[in-house]
Amino acid sequence: MSFSQLSHLECGRCGADHDSERPQNLCTACGSPLLARYDLAAVRASVDPGEFARRSPDLWRYHELLPVRNRQAVTTLGEGMTPLLPMARYGERIGLPRLLMKDEGLIPTGSFKARGAAVGVSRAAELGIERLAMPTNGNAGAAWALYGARAGLATTIVMPVDAPEITRRECTASRADLHLVDGLISDAGRIVGELVAASDGRVFDSSTLKEPYRIEGKKTMGIEIVEQLGWRMPDVILYPTGGGVGLIGIHKALNELRELGWISGPPPRLVAVQAEGCAPIVRAFERGERESRYWDGAHTVAFGINVPKPLGDFLILEALEETSGTAVTVTDGELLAELREVAALEGAFVCPEGAAAFAAARKLRASGWIEADEQVVVLNTGAGLKYPGTVQVDAPVLPVDGHLV
């Protein structure tokens, strides 16, 4: 049995095939992201979905549907198989008693970005890449820096100066080549692009969707949700959307599982959740456009979704259309209020991006877009502990001989 059934890379826009056995960035024909394709007939013939439960409880249990060919090339910190938790009290409060949370805050590095880093770094090392560079809003850079260190690769990380402080500390601890820019992730992307162009091939661009394997790690969230539900699909999945790799990956996973014959029936309706201060996907969706336009003046406390123009915008919009999904905005005030409500009712300190998805679930239930009896999964994409400034503390200070009454 082959460890991976990777067959080739395919352009997500024009469909052109590309060699998967050498480092690749964007499609050479049209400049769009490349997607990994697998010999699904071979996967179907070699493995039964019931077998996964007997494998290690991490994302590598799905190795036939991942791009790393050699088991020894796997770089791992134990990522994957995060819990799918019932949110009974909060769900009752907003009218969704069957609400579930996929909690990515428990994954290594404290965010779902570890999934993409694990697979992306593993494949990069397997293909002989020695130095990676990427722009980031924080968590992805921290994850790639740490996984790069584990794999013995050098990493250059460029992030906005306003990125969460803990993420730059993670980069510094791993001895990454860290740089801060007084701007947005798009400005960081320009700087990385210039570095890569001038490197004569010595630096590989691992920016969001500019390499094809990050998405493969992210898609395992979709496979896990289905496995954890007994190889059934929920009715709705809400995802905080910046670059959109997680949403694209979940959609890709569900399509692969359907082609394998492991799931059937209508797909879950996918929801792209964005902040009111940076909502290029919502604007494009509402206008019926196939691509987004740059969002001027992007700003939100949910820093991970502060992406003014996602490279994979057309893939996000396709996923929404093909699943009869939707796109919705929430304000910073709404998501911060929801963050505290979820913590108070469920004891879960979610990240602001996850809180945005909870706020969107409340809105969509109130409008009737989600029915009360539907099974809904909200993705909490990271640990609230990485964003300590989202909750202000104003507690009284007692003297050493003080008393409570």
Side-chain angles (χ1 to χ4, degrees):
M1 182 190 302
S2 297
F3 191 68
S4 171
Q5 293 293 351
L6 177 69
S7 61
H8 65 286
L9 299 173
E10 178 184 271
C11 177
R13 189 188 298 271
C14 74
D17 287 352
H18 293 261
D19 183 6
S20 61
E21 298 314 297
R22 63 185 184 88
Q24 299 276 11
N25 285 117
L26 299 175
C27 174
T28 55
C30 72
S32 299
L34 300 177
L35 302 173
R37 298 303 185 196
Y38 299 85
D39 183 347
L40 295 181
V43 175
R44 191 184 307 111
S46 64
V47 64
D48 180 272
E51 183 180 331
F52 295 127
R54 297 188 290 274
R55 296 183 179 179
S56 60
D58 55 40
L59 64 80
W60 297 101
R61 70 205 274 126
Y62 310 121
H63 58 77
E64 291 91 349
L65 291 169
L66 293 173
V68 179
R69 295 204 180 276
N70 188 336
R71 186 187 299 269
Q72 281 65 49
V74 168
T75 299
T76 181
L77 290 167
E79 58 287 334
M81 286 311 293
T82 54
L84 191 61
L85 301 171
M87 305 293 279
R89 295 178 66 196
Y90 174 80
E92 287 287 351
R93 176 71 58 88
I94 68 170
L96 292 172
R98 300 178 67 200
L99 181 68
L100 301 167
M101 175 179 68
K102 180 73 167 162
D103 191 4
E104 294 291 289
L106 302 181
I107 210 164
T109 78
S111 87
F112 78 116
K113 303 290 187 178
R115 293 181 186 266
V119 176
V121 167
S122 295
R123 187 60 173 155
E126 188 173 44
L127 292 174
I129 294 168
E130 297 180 352
R131 181 181 174 189
L132 304 167
M134 65 181 298
T136 177
N137 268 332
N139 278 318
W144 281 71
L146 289 161
Y147 277 83
R150 188 159 177 82
L153 304 185
T155 54
T156 294
I157 309 296
V158 185
M159 67 174 68
V161 71
D162 292 333
E165 181 180 349
I166 185 59
T167 61
R168 64 180 90 163
R169 294 185 184 275
E170 289 173 289
C171 291
T172 301
S174 64
R175 296 184 180 173
D177 177 33
L178 173 66
H179 301 268
L180 306 178
V181 59
D182 188 13
L184 300 173
I185 189 172
S186 51
D187 302 302
R190 175 191 56 78
I191 293 169
V192 167
E194 291 174 353
L195 170 69
V196 171
S199 73
D200 194 27
R202 294 187 301 275
V203 182
F204 183 78
D205 192 341
S206 54
S207 305
T208 302
L209 290 176
K210 286 189 178 180
E211 63 82 45
Y213 301 117
R214 180 192 304 209
I215 191 173
E216 297 305 291
K218 303 285 187 66
K219 82 178 183 186
T220 58
M221 291 184 290
I223 306 176
E224 286 179 20
I225 289 170
V226 171
E227 183 184 359
Q228 288 169 318
L229 291 176
W231 297 98
R232 295 182 298 102
M233 293 179 287
D235 297 298
V236 178
I237 297 176
L238 293 102
Y239 201 89
T241 304
V245 180
L247 188 144
I248 297 166
I250 290 171
H251 184 235
K252 184 176 187 288
L254 295 174
N255 284 340
E256 290 173 352
L257 296 180
R258 185 181 302 280
E259 189 171 341
L260 285 165
W262 295 353
I263 57 175
S264 60
R269 306 194 306 280
L270 298 178
V271 179
V273 181
Q274 298 202 294
E276 193 174 80
C278 183
I281 295 300
V282 176
R283 180 171 62 188
F285 179 82
E286 291 176 345
R287 295 178 178 181
E289 297 170 346
R290 295 291 179 179
E291 297 182 12
S292 67
R293 289 179 288 115
Y294 187 89
W295 188 278
D296 290 322
H299 180 76
T300 172
V301 295
F303 211 73
I305 55 177
N306 196 36
V307 180
K309 177 69 168 73
L311 178 62
D313 51 7
F314 68 100
L315 293 170
I316 300 169
L317 292 163
E318 283 178 10
L320 300 183
E321 180 181 14
E322 291 176 9
T323 64
S324 300
T326 192
V328 62
T329 62
V330 299
T331 67
D332 280 2
E334 288 170 333
L335 72 86
L336 289 174
E338 220 66 29
L339 186 152
R340 298 183 71 136
E341 184 86 343
V342 171
L345 291 175
E346 299 290 353
F349 186 14
V350 302
C351 66
E353 296 83 8
F358 279 108
R362 181 192 290 270
K363 278 190 166 184
L364 291 174
R365 174 66 196 105
S367 71
W369 193 88
I370 301 177
E371 299 292 339
D373 62 346
E374 291 191 293
Q375 188 168 60
V376 177
V377 175
V378 165
L379 268 293
N380 173 45
T381 51
L385 293 174
K386 300 195 80 172
Y387 302 83
T390 58
V391 177
Q392 300 302 312
V393 178
D394 184 19
V397 177
L398 300 174
V400 293
D401 59 347
H403 301 280
L404 295 176
V405 295

